[in-house]
């Protein structure tokens, strides 16, 4: 046993060295891309004067030039508070939105300073943030090989005796959920849909997380900060920074959505697994009590715009994938004819999740990860032919190129063996898909909200943003989940009151807590978009911007004044008694 452990230890040290060497080649590729974007002399000028924009794009240069002018003309009186601005998503949509949120915080609280915290190699983030007038930067740096080796060895001895990935998931280290943060990062970046043992990848990424925590905690020790601005709160480094911020009682201002956005203010560590799109219980109950009929009517409009036309104010990027097919329709008779099914049998429509995203964003779940949930649900389906099972794969699957196990291939193996399990036709419209379901099945997806709004029951195996708020749902375990599946034909349809409350949730989420920003361009969020077009659109918005008459700023001030979690769209102020 000792010999085996010793061999594993030295083998992992060897892999550690290889990874560090590989990173040097990745750095070379980064420098190649930087030279292509900015030129050698441009980069030299930038490192001599970081206020200089070395980009070869004249549109990007014009954007930063005009953007600087706005904020120079509208200087803010300084107080005592300090805030940290972050962006680790590495796309301008994120950098711009987070910078704008920071300007509102600076203006509202008369902040003494906003300190950007970015990856040291992220030139684009620094160029954009400097155009908003932010000067004093702090950087997350790659540790040198010796300090990283020390942290890696420490991580190895800390984790090597963990019995299973399930134990690791529960790991809370230094008061934050290291196990879940590292697990979601490993799944995302290796492409494997689940972790089956505490392997090198887990230990290495744990050491990376530990180093990030050390760097960020050191920053927080040196100066007192009142809050932090961020968007993403999964993966590394975001998960560590987000949870450590709440652990240290910093206000977290989490920007959500694009191009319509909202600012969500998280204050307590108990909120670490609260989705940014989740509305507060207090706001929901107030609207239900004082504005029930109006909110139901507006929410119904939002809901049917979404399922009939694909208009989604909250998940704009995702809706491009979900609602790309709106015309193709098929009814139960048609689907039963295609698959030679008995029409008298109930159809359980299983809505899968992407394997590489959203595994641990909402709190409790009955299954270890998205893959385990799907596998065990399909295993159950294979042994229970009293129902027909239609599997709707997640439309975002095509977005994740790195995945090593494709959902269609995995489900396809069951479809070959069992005639009562079939993949849903790809081109079918979401509405038609919903209509086929007698009962929906999901781990923790938005489909439970949509099916309930349509008056159809849905079985969930994990926490959703609305389950507790609208239906008072409690956590369940695997046995309770499978019992529900077994008795799916006995599940009652949601009452009219529940349906109406779902519409209210839609109204608040889609209209009341999201609004258009005067400086955020309507543009598809993608790393492969035409950036010159993107910058041109943003330049036009800057030309038309009125600092003194910024409606979004007024809405944010209202949020702060009334101590609300969400930014509220004040266009509804005269229509709602609760505002």
């Amino acid at each position: 046993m000792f010999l085996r452990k010793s061999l594993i230890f030295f083998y992992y040290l060897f892999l550690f060295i290889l990874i560090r060497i590989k990173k040097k080649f990745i750095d070379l590729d980064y420098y190649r891309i930087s030279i292509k974007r900015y030129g050698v002399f441009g980069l030299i000028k930038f490192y001599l004067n970081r206020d200089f924009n070395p980009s070869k794009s004249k549109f990007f240069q014009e954007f930063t030039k005009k953007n600087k002018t706005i904020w120079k003309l509208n200087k803010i009186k300084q107080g005592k508070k300090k805030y940290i601005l972050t962006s680790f998503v590495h796309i301008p949509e994120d950098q711009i939105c987070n910078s704008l949120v920071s300007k509102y915080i600076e203006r509202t609280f008369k902040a003494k300073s906003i300190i950007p915290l970015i990856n040291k190699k992220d030139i684009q983030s620094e160029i954009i943030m400097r155009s908003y007038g932010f000067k004093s930067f702090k950087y997350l740096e790659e540790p040198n090989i010796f300090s990283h080796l020390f942290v890696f060895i420490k991580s190895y001895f800390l984790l090597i005796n963990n019995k299973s990935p399930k134990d690791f998931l529960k790991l809370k280290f230094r008061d934050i959920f290291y196990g879940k943060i590292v697990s979601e990062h490993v799944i995302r970046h290796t492409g494997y849909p689940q972790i089956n043992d505490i392997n090198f990848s887990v230990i290495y990424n744990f050491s990376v997380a530990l180093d990030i925590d050390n760097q960020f905690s050191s920053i927080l020790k040196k100066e007192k900060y009142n809050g932090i601005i961020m968007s993403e709160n999964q993966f590394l480094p975001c998960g560590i920074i987000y949870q450590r911020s709440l652990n240290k009682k910093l206000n977290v201002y989490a920007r959500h959505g694009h191009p319509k956005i909202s600012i969500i203010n998280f204050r307590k560590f108990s909120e670490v697994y609260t989705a940014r799109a989740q509305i507060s219980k207090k706001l929901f109950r107030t609207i239900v009590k004082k504005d029930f009929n109006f909110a139901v009517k507006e929410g119904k409009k939002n809901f049917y715009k979404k399922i009939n036309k694909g208009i989604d104010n909250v998940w704009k990027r995702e809706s491009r994938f979900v609602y790309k097919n709106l015309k193709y329709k098929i009814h139960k008779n048609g689907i039963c004819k295609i698959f030679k099914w008995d029409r008298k049998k109930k159809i359980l429509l299983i809505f899968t999740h992407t394997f590489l995203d959203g595994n641990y964003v909402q709190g409790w779940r009955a299954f270890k990860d998205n893959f385990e949930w799907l596998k065990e649900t399909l295993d159950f389906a294979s042994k229970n032919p009293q129902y027909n099972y239609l599997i709707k794969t997640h439309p975002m699957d095509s977005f994740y190129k790195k995945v090593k196990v494709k959902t269609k291939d995995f489900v396809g193996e069951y479809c070959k063996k069992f005639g009562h399990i079939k993949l849903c036709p790809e081109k079918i419209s979401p509405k038609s898909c919903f209509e086929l379901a007698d009962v929906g099945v999901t781990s923790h997806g938005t489909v439970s909200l949509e099916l309930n709004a349509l008056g159809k029951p849905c079985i969930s195996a994990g926490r959703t943003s609305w389950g507790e708020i609208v239906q008072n749902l409690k956590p369940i375990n695997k046995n309770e989940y499978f019992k529900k599946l077994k008795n799916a034909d006995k599940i009652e349809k949601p009452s009219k009151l529940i349906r109406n409350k779902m519409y209210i949730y839609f109204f608040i989420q889609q209209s009341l807590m999201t609004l258009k920003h005067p400086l955020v361009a309507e543009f598809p969020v993608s790393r492969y978009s035409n950036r010159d077009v993107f910058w041109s659109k943003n330049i036009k918005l800057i030309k038309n911007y009125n600092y003194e008459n910024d409606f979004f700023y007024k809405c944010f001030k209202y949020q702060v004044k009334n101590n609300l979690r969400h930014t509220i769209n004040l266009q509804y102020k005269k229509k709602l008694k609760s505002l």
Side-chain angles (χ1 to χ4, degrees), residues 78-315:
Q78 292 186 341
K80 295 181 179 180
K81 294 184 176 182
K82 292 183 178 181
Y83 296 85
I84 296 171
L85 158 64
T86 69
S87 178
F88 295 102
V89 181
H90 308 304
I91 54 174
E93 290 87 348
D94 189 73
Q95 295 144 5
I96 287 171
C97 287
N98 290 6
S99 296
L100 286 168
V101 172
S102 299
K103 295 307 289 188
Y104 289 132
I105 286 171
E106 186 180 45
R107 187 176 175 185
T108 303
F109 297 109
K110 295 181 173 58
K112 182 180 180 181
S113 58
I114 303 286
I115 310 295
L117 172 65
I118 59 172
N119 187 303
K120 194 165 188 180
K121 296 172 186 171
D122 191 354
I123 295 173
Q124 180 178 263
S125 281
E126 183 158 352
I127 293 167
I128 290 172
M129 289 175 179
R130 284 185 179 275
S131 75
Y132 287 88
F134 305 129
K135 301 288 186 184
S136 301
F137 280 70
K138 292 189 181 295
Y139 304 98
L140 281 185
E141 300 189 48
E142 180 85 25
N144 67 59
I145 190 168
F146 300 107
S147 62
H148 192 183
L149 180 60
F150 174 78
V151 176
F152 176 77
I153 293 171
K154 182 179 179 180
S155 301
Y156 174 85
F157 286 109
L158 183 69
L159 299 181
I160 199 63
N161 293 320
N162 263 270
K163 293 179 182 178
S164 71
K166 285 189 178 180
D167 292 332
F168 180 66
L169 267 180
K170 297 172 187 174
L171 178 63
K172 196 174 182 183
F173 183 67
R174 292 182 177 176
D175 300 317
I176 64 176
F177 295 102
Y178 263 74
K180 287 182 180 177
I181 295 169
V182 173
S183 293
E184 66 194 1
H185 188 82
V186 170
I187 288 171
R188 178 64 165 261
H189 290 275
T190 62
Y192 292 102
Q194 63 177 184
I195 296 170
N196 294 315
D197 57 359
I198 306 304
N199 55 27
F200 171 79
S201 185
V202 172
I203 295 169
Y204 181 85
N205 281 287
F206 189 93
S207 73
V208 173
L210 198 54
D211 179 73
I212 291 164
D213 197 7
N214 289 340
Q215 288 190 55
F216 186 59
S217 296
S218 176
I219 289 168
L220 296 183
K221 280 179 185 176
K222 289 175 183 175
E223 292 185 74
K224 182 184 175 183
Y225 294 96
N226 300 89
I228 185 167
I229 299 94
M230 59 194 313
S231 52
E232 182 64 83
N233 54 13
Q234 296 184 87
F235 315 119
L236 297 175
C238 304
I240 293 290
I241 291 171
Y242 173 62
Q243 291 199 19
R244 181 59 65 205
S245 296
L246 287 174
N247 169 257
K248 293 297 182 182
K249 297 181 169 49
L250 270 69
N251 274 295
V252 175
Y253 296 92
R255 188 269 308 166
H256 174 66
H258 189 278
K260 290 190 176 182
I261 66 172
S262 186
I263 303 168
I264 293 85
N265 182 197
F266 294 120
R267 305 178 183 92
K268 301 174 184 175
F269 189 77
S270 58
E271 297 176 302
V272 290
Y273 289 114
T274 301
R276 284 170 287 156
Q278 178 176 317
I279 66 177
S280 70
K281 287 182 183 178
K282 184 179 177 182
L283 177 62
F284 180 77
R285 288 169 181 167
T286 304
I287 298 290
V288 167
K289 185 178 179 180
K290 296 184 179 180
D291 298 287
F292 188 89
N293 291 332
F294 176 82
V296 168
K297 183 181 175 183
E298 291 297 306
K300 213 169 184 178
K301 287 180 190 174
N302 284 332
F303 175 69
Y304 283 102
K305 276 182 184 178
K306 179 177 179 179
I307 67 167
N308 289 330
K309 298 180 180 179
I311 298 171
D312 190 322
N313 292 332
V314 178
W315 289 283

Side-chain angles (χ1 to χ4, degrees), residues 20-34 121 142:
R20 291 290 306 204
I21 293 170
K22 184 180 176 182
K23 279 186 171 291
K24 293 300 177 185
F25 285 101
I26 292 171
D27 287 346
L28 290 175
D29 193 52
Y30 157 77
Y31 294 129
R32 180 187 63 78
I33 292 169
S34 295
K121 296 172 186 171
E142 180 85 25

